[in-house]
Amino acid sequence: MNLTNIGTVKDILSRHGFSFSKGLGQNFIINPDICPKIAEMGNAAEGYGVIEIGTGIGVLTAELAKRADKVCAVEIDSRLLPVLAETLEEFDNVKIFNEDVMKCDLSKIIREEFSGLRTAVCANLPYYITSPIIMMLLESRLPIDSITVMVQKEAAQRLCAKVGSRESGAITVGVNYYGTVKTLFQVSRGSFMPSPNVDSAVIRIDLHGEHRLPEEDEKFFFRVVKSGFSQRRKTISNALSSLMGISKEDVYTALENVGMPKTARIEQLDMEQLIKFSTELKAIVEK
Ligand code: SAM
């Protein structure tokens, strides 16, 4: 079945009485070049189990299933289940989990379904929840090799920004803490049905599986990073005193120890400074 043929897609959707939900970020890929590229560049290969987030009608799922040993796909919209039963009928290595990915036990899926396989994540992410999903995948400490996802162009720019630059955000720090990130290719808005208002890009995060900080320090680090960036126009001392109840004096001392002035904002600290600052601050507040 050709799931990038507009006539075929319209026919399946109308036979199942399906209408697109904007709230669930349902923009399905109809450009035939995109899904094979995501699958090939995203580790969908022999020896791999792939987790997909958001199947739509299964256009990417099918390309993943052709290449990987197994695909476990999480889709929140139960109206798509009968559609997928038809579109993915020929594959016996696909399992659909009708769940919200933010509440789903991915660790259990990997343990029970991908025994003896490496794990990769591939998806055309629902745009309303891109950063929370990526952050959840990074912070979950799951044994994932890579996360290859389509995101809005602006989100890709933030993800691939330099830590310590104005374009960076909490997510930039997250990807750089857990791995490395790069943009693979750009995708125009005309590649989707319905067509969104913005262009997209596919990015890949390669996870190194190492943790530079012990678990408790890592949690504190991300609380600092998220608090700092949620009030990024403020100084770090103002943001952390209002959101974490840490005294400004303590923040000043930790900033001084990484060579930054009292007036520093979070986006001015590079990766090494952020890690050192958070470690010093945790030690100071726990004294
Ligand atoms: N992979 C398909 C494609 O490329 O054509 C669909 C991508 S569409 C941008 C995003 C998909 O994610 C939709 O099918 C939507 O129903 C699903 N979705 C939205 N929120 C979700 C959530 N919280 N958990 C799981 N799936 C979700």
Side-chain angles (χ1 to χ4, degrees), residues 4 27-42 59-60 63-64 67 122-124 127 148-151 184-192 200-203:
T4 52
N27 301 95
F28 299 165
I29 297 173
I30 45 157
N31 177 336
D33 299 335
I34 310 292
C35 293
K37 260 167 103 174
I38 297 179
E40 263 153 40
M41 298 172 103
V59 61
L60 175 59
E63 296 301 328
L64 299 172
R67 296 167 173 84
C122 290
N124 169 16
Y127 291 162
T148 305
V149 284
M150 171 114 68
V151 298
L184 297 179
F185 57 95
Q186 311 284 334
V187 179
S188 71
R189 62 195 76 185
S191 299
F192 302 89
S200 297
V202 176
I203 59 117

Side-chain angles (χ1 to χ4, degrees), residues 24-29 54-56 59 75-76 100-101 124 128:
L24 289 177
Q26 292 179 340
N27 301 95
F28 299 165
I29 297 173
T55 58
V59 61
E75 170 57 59
I76 198 170
D100 176 346
V101 72
N124 169 16
Y128 75 99

Side-chain angles (χ1 to χ4, degrees), residues 158 161-169 172 229 232-233 265 267-268:
R158 175 142 289 178
K162 197 167 172 297
V163 176
S165 73
R166 286 191 69 180
E167 294 72 34
S168 67
T172 323
F229 277 105
R232 59 186 300 148
R233 302 275 160 254
R265 282 176 288 124
E267 64 192 27
Q268 294 174 294

Side-chain angles (χ1 to χ4, degrees), residues 4 26 37 58-59 63 70 77 107 119 230 257 260 275:
T4 52
Q26 292 179 340
K37 260 167 103 174
V59 61
E63 296 301 328
K70 190 156 187 185
D77 190 347
S107 137
T119 301
S230 76
N257 290 349
M260 292 303 280
I275 290 178

Side-chain angles (χ1 to χ4, degrees), residues 164 221 254 258-260 268-279:
F221 174 70
V258 296
M260 292 303 280
Q268 294 174 294
L269 274 65
D270 65 23
M271 200 66 195
E272 295 314 313
Q273 284 173 316
L274 277 173
I275 290 178
K276 188 161 180 235
F277 167 73
S278 149
T279 309

Side-chain angles (χ1 to χ4, degrees), residues 114-130:
F114 294 166
S115 163
L117 299 176
R118 303 194 70 81
T119 301
V121 173
C122 290
N124 169 16
L125 287 179
Y127 291 162
Y128 75 99
I129 196 177
T130 298

